[in-house]
RNA sequence: GGUUCCAUAGCUCAACCGGAUAGAGCAACGGUUUUCUAAACCGUAGGUUCCAGGUUCGAGUCCUGGUGGGAUCACCA
């Protein structure tokens, strides 16, 4: 029986026999490091039954437990806190089990099927830092679920059609002069992105001209006296600027020449125009080549890729079902809506008056498609928290449609990544490009490694691989160590820092262990676990932390939060470095002590490697 | 304005779902290398956990009300 279970049972017994308490859930906490002991039982809640001072109550329970639980060596009491001290034999036992069995994670998934959607890029722009957080988070979380016994399907929904890609296409057609990734040596996704930017530039210029035209100025005057302008007047905002942003979409739709071209192209695409489809395929092909390279480098992969061009018409049938069942209603113009005011939300459109679908319609359809394809128990969307509302609505709609899978929807909502200068804004050119960023961390890894000069004898390929492992590790760890839910700050200086709570620090710890084990093997020293006579504090810390690791893996899955694993691994690495500094391992005189420490070190190394693999980070043999 | 998320050391983040004296890293200062990799280790300094109430034996954590910030409230995706 697990020690905590035993303690729970015995403590219940103690409470019953001492104070006649029958009910209640018994919980233990890890003893605060400032006090002696391993687990702590808080007696305050039981004082009204015991009718004794906290100290006396704790002591009575402590006596009972010491008497009845073999693993308890002793206890101490501070106010109402009963600190239980477990024997060294118990901890050595734990160590032996861990060493014999390797890392074992309790199976909480039970083979349940989970579809995880992440990445979900648009095909008009290259990936940026925000996408990296998404990809790294999504991939890591899939690894974590798998380790917990879930059957995971990683899926990507590629947004490959729509007005945005048409903008790139028009720009390329008009101003591209036949430029290709080959002819320009520009990575495909960046090339397409270049034309997207080009389009925006030309459009802005056209818009600016119009704004100062007679018609534009007339519209501005109309705007100034309109209702829409009132709130700007209240805020004392610049009305010219306000008009410029307010009217932009209207201008694009009703006045712009290139806007009209884009819209025509989108229509042609929907009508399956051969030429447009060919161009679309060509340019998307470039983007996919580019994305594949980036995904490869990030080390992420997918089991199933959905393309919006195939799924964007889905969901209409379900809109019909919803109309029949009364979940949806039709407005006068023929558009279809759902009323969510009972849930504290608004009315939400699910189909336009012309019968075409909107964003959420597609998601309704895709959810159903996923269910047809996989009959999953749960389906998770790794999407930024800016879409909290969208997924709340999506789930409610699925519920109102009585879909059996509706309850299985979970939005893994992660926070935005901010820069020291503020928010990333593509319009202001402050986005951090994914490929550039990866190059940067890589060259930093190389520079650092070369400065330290410990890689003598390594081949060019080995070095390249090492820089990749260190650089990508640093970047991924930087993004994964903070709580996924929280908005985070990306400081370029910090992200390439290799000291302290960073991947290279942990990787370094791993290589230290690795080199000791290697030396032990070379000199024929046994790394087999031997029970020593004594247990040092630093040794015990390692056992305690390794013992806690599987629970952290469970918690990371339950809380949708890889950072719990990052923290657990960091604590372990830190504890090992302290142990390493305080105690000699390979050179220990006593054979039993040496064997024990070697076995323990090896187990620490395995745990680090295990944890890092769940984060999608590799460990080098040496560095 | 409605809804919603957030606020912890100079900076970036923890704090095991209500427990003890709130912890790390970075930055600053000082120390450690004839011993298994110093990308390491040890020490010093740094806090009214945004504010005001409330619940509780006990609150950074729960509730209410403020203040400040983000997101969202599109027939965009």
């Amino acid at each position: 029986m697990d020690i905590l279970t035993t303690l729970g049972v015995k403590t219940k017994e103690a409470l019953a026999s001492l104070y006649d308490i029958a009910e209640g859930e018994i919980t233990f906490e890890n003893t605060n490091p400032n006090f002696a002991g391993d687990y702590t039982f808080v007696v305050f809640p039981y004082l009204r039954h015991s009718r004794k001072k906290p100290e006396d109550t704790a002591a009575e329970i402590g006596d009972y437990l010491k008497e009845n639980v073999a693993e308890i060596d002793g206890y101490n009491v501070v106010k109402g806190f009963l600190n239980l001290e477990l024997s060294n034999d118990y901890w050595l036992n734990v160590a032996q089990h861990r060493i014999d069995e390797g890392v074992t994670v309790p199976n909480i998934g039970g083979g349940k099927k989970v579809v995880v959607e992440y990445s979900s890029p648009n095909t008009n722009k290259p990936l940026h830092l925000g996408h990296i957080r998404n990809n790294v988070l999504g991939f890591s979380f899939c690894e974590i679920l798998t380790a917990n016994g879930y059957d995971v399907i990683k899926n990507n929904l590629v947004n490959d059609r729509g007005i945005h890609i048409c903008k790139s296409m028009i720009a390329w057609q008009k101003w591209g002069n036949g430029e290709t990734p080959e002819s320009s040596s520009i990575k495909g996704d960046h090339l397409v992105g270049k034309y997207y930017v080009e389009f925006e530039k030309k459009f802005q210029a056209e818009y600016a001209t119009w704004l100062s035209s007679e018609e534009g100025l007339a519209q501005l005057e109309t705007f100034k006296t309109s209702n829409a302008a009132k709130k700007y007047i209240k805020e004392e905002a610049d009305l010219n600027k306000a008009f410029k942003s307010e009217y932009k979409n209207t201008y694009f739709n009703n006045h712009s020449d290139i806007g009209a071209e884009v819209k025509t192209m989108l229509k042609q695409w929907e009508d399956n125009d051969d030429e447009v489809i060919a161009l679309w395929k060509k340019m998307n092909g470039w983007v996919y080549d580019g994305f594949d390279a980036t995904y490869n480098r990030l080390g992420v992969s997918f089991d199933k890729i959905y393309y919006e061009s195939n799924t964007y018409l889905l969901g209409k049938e379900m809109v019909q079902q919803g109309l029949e069942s009364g979940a949806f209603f039709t407005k006068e113009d023929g558009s279809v809506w759902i009323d969510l005011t009972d849930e504290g939300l608004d009315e939400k459109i699910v189909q336009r008056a012309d019968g075409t679908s909107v964003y959420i319609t597609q998601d309704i359809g895709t959810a159903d498609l996923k269910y047809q394809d996989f009959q999953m128990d749960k389906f998770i969307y790794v999407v930024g928290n800016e879409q909290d509302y969208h997924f709340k609505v999506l789930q409610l709609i699925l519920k109102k449609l009585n879909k059996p899978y509706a309850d299985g929807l979970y939005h893994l909502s992660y926070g935005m990544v901010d820069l020291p200068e503020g928010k990333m804004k593509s319009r202001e050119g402050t986005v951090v490009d994914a490929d550039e960023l990866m190059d940067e961390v890589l060259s930093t890894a190389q520079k650092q490694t070369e400065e330290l000069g410990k890689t003598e004898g390594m081949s060019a390929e080995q070095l390249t691989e090492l820089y990749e492992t260190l650089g990508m590790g640093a970047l991924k760890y930087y993004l994964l160590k903070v709580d996924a839910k929280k908005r985070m700050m990306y400081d370029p200086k910090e992200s390439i820092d290799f000291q302290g709570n960073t991947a290279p620090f942990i990787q370094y710890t791993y290589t230290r262990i690795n080199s000791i084990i290697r030396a032990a093997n070379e000199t024929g020293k046994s790394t087999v676990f031997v029970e020593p006579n004594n247990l040092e504090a630093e040794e015990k810390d390692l056992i305690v932390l390794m013992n806690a690791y599987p629970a952290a893996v469970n918690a990371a899955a339950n809380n949708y939060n890889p950072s719990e694993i990052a923290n657990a691994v960091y604590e372990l690495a830190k504890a090992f470095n302290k142990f390493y500094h305080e105690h000699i391992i390979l050179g220990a005189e006593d054979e039993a002590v040496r064997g024990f420490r070697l076995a323990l070190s090896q187990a620490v190394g395995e745990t680090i490697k295990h944890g890092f693999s769940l984060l999608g980070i590799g460990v080098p043999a040496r560095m």
Side-chain angles (χ1 to χ4, degrees), chain A residues 109-279:
Chain A
K112 280 204 178 117
K113 213 173 237 191
V114 186
V115 175
V116 181
E117 179 177 310
Y118 73 100
S119 199
S120 311
N122 291 346
T123 59
N124 62 328
K125 278 183 281 204
L127 306 177
H128 60 69
L129 176 55
H131 294 113
I132 299 188
R133 189 177 196 195
N134 181 302
N135 280 282
V136 162
L137 201 55
F139 180 81
S140 169
F141 191 62
C142 288
E143 294 295 298
I144 291 166
L145 287 178
T146 305
N148 278 283
Y150 290 94
D151 180 9
V152 179
I153 296 119
K154 294 175 283 191
N155 97 273
N156 189 357
L157 175 61
V158 181
N159 193 310
D160 63 341
R161 51 134 248 138
I163 206 88
H164 51 81
I165 180 72
C166 287
K167 287 180 182 174
S168 302
M169 285 157 68
I170 287 283
W172 185 83
Q173 222 173 32
K174 293 172 88 78
W175 309 298
N177 297 317
E179 191 177 29
T180 67
E182 291 75 29
S183 77
S184 62
S185 310
I186 298 176
K187 199 161 159 276
D189 49 337
H190 289 259
L191 184 66
V192 172
K194 175 179 151 188
Y195 285 100
Y196 186 76
V197 172
E198 189 63 27
F199 179 90
E200 280 299 318
K201 261 202 244 163
K202 291 284 201 302
F203 171 72
Q204 289 294 348
E206 193 199 89
Y207 186 38
T209 309
W210 180 84
L211 282 171
S212 53
S213 73
E214 222 168 276
E215 193 187 355
L217 291 170
Q219 281 294 343
L220 173 61
E221 288 314 310
T222 316
F223 169 77
K224 279 181 178 170
T225 55
S226 71
N227 279 333
K230 278 183 184 160
K231 74 172 183 189
Y232 293 104
I233 293 168
K234 212 168 155 191
E235 291 165 6
E236 297 179 3
D238 183 338
L239 278 183
N240 293 331
K241 269 191 190 160
F243 173 67
K244 195 179 167 189
S245 60
E246 279 278 312
Y247 205 74
K248 193 179 158 197
N249 284 339
T250 316
Y251 173 77
F252 181 89
N253 288 323
N254 301 338
H255 306 273
S256 169
D257 292 333
I258 47 177
E261 288 185 62
V262 170
K263 283 170 63 182
T264 304
M265 182 174 269
L266 183 61
K267 185 78 178 61
Q268 287 171 326
W269 183 90
E270 292 189 0
D271 293 342
N272 248 315
D273 180 282
D274 288 343
E275 226 171 285
V276 170
I277 294 287
L279 177 61

Side-chain angles (χ1 to χ4, degrees), chain A residues 133 137 140-141 144 477-485 501 552 555-557 559-570 615:
Chain A
R133 189 177 196 195
L137 201 55
S140 169
F141 191 62
I144 291 166
Y477 186 86
Y478 184 83
L479 295 170
L480 287 172
K481 74 176 170 182
V482 322
D483 191 331
K485 286 188 291 295
N501 189 359
N559 299 332
Y560 301 87
N561 188 14
S563 80
E564 303 200 27
I565 289 173
N567 290 337
V569 173
Y570 172 60
L615 300 178

Side-chain angles (χ1 to χ4, degrees), chain A residues 109-115 150-151 371 374-379 404-409:
Chain A
K112 280 204 178 117
K113 213 173 237 191
V114 186
V115 175
Y150 290 94
D151 180 9
Y371 191 66
F374 302 110
Q375 294 85 45
M376 67 281 180
D377 299 288
K378 287 169 80 172
F379 59 125
Y405 48 84
D407 285 324
L409 185 154

Side-chain angles (χ1 to χ4, degrees), chain A residues 325-568:
Chain A
S325 71
F328 300 152
F329 66 95
T330 314
K331 286 199 177 176
E332 286 153 21
D333 65 355
S335 56
V336 182
W337 296 70
I338 184 164
D339 183 3
L340 295 171
T341 47
D342 288 350
E343 325 283 344
L345 306 176
D346 306 310
E347 290 182 346
K348 186 86 188 169
I349 189 161
V350 294
Q351 195 174 89
R352 295 190 187 98
D354 63 5
T356 57
S357 34
V358 292
Y359 175 44
I360 202 152
T361 323
Q362 185 231 154
D363 262 340
I364 297 168
T366 311
D368 211 62
L369 180 62
K370 284 181 190 174
Y371 191 66
Q372 288 167 32
D373 286 349
F374 302 110
Q375 294 85 45
M376 67 281 180
D377 299 288
K378 287 169 80 172
F379 59 125
I380 295 169
Y381 295 86
V382 181
V383 177
N385 63 11
E386 59 201 347
Q387 295 199 37
D388 285 354
Y389 180 74
H390 172 77
F391 285 103
K392 220 182 263 179
V393 170
L394 179 60
Q395 182 162 41
L396 281 171
I397 290 177
L398 293 174
K399 277 187 184 167
K400 296 221 174 203
L401 289 172
N402 284 319
K403 293 296 168 186
Y405 48 84
D407 285 324
L409 185 154
Y410 185 85
H411 175 204
L412 199 171
S413 161
Y414 63 90
M416 299 288 100
V417 183
D418 287 329
L419 301 174
E421 314 75 73
K423 293 173 60 180
M424 273 200 287
K425 287 236 170 84
S426 48
R427 214 172 298 152
E428 287 157 31
T430 54
V431 278
V432 177
D433 179 75
D435 294 316
E436 277 175 32
L437 180 56
M438 290 191 286
D439 285 342
E440 203 177 308
V441 291
L442 209 79
S443 68
T444 308
Q446 176 166 3
K447 221 175 78 197
Q448 288 274 331
T449 306
E450 283 168 357
E451 263 172 37
L452 291 166
K454 298 183 193 176
T455 51
E456 210 180 310
M458 285 175 74
S459 69
E461 293 89 61
Q462 285 173 322
L463 284 172
T464 309
E465 198 189 323
L466 176 63
Y467 303 148
E468 196 78 30
T469 307
L470 293 175
M472 290 307 297
L475 177 57
K476 290 181 184 179
Y477 186 86
Y478 184 83
L479 295 170
L480 287 172
K481 74 176 170 182
V482 322
D483 191 331
K485 286 188 291 295
K486 292 194 174 170
R487 144 184 291 269
M488 70 174 288
M489 171 76 76
Y490 176 82
D491 185 340
K493 283 200 297 292
E494 244 180 68
S495 73
I496 52 172
D497 208 342
F498 288 0
Q499 266 106 41
N501 189 359
T502 65
F505 166 81
I506 295 166
Q507 288 165 325
Y508 176 69
T509 312
Y510 178 83
T511 57
R512 271 184 153 176
I513 293 168
N514 201 46
S515 93
I516 294 171
I517 300 299
R518 201 172 44 226
N521 289 336
E522 279 165 11
T523 53
K525 286 178 176 141
S526 169
T527 58
V528 174
F529 176 86
V530 186
E531 188 161 319
N533 295 319
N534 184 31
L535 185 63
E536 300 286 348
E538 291 80 10
E539 293 165 345
K540 183 178 154 185
D541 285 345
L542 294 177
I543 297 170
V544 169
L545 286 169
M546 278 196 284
N547 188 43
Y549 173 75
V553 178
N554 287 155
N558 286 332
N559 299 332
Y560 301 87
N561 188 14
S563 80
E564 303 200 27
I565 289 173
N567 290 337

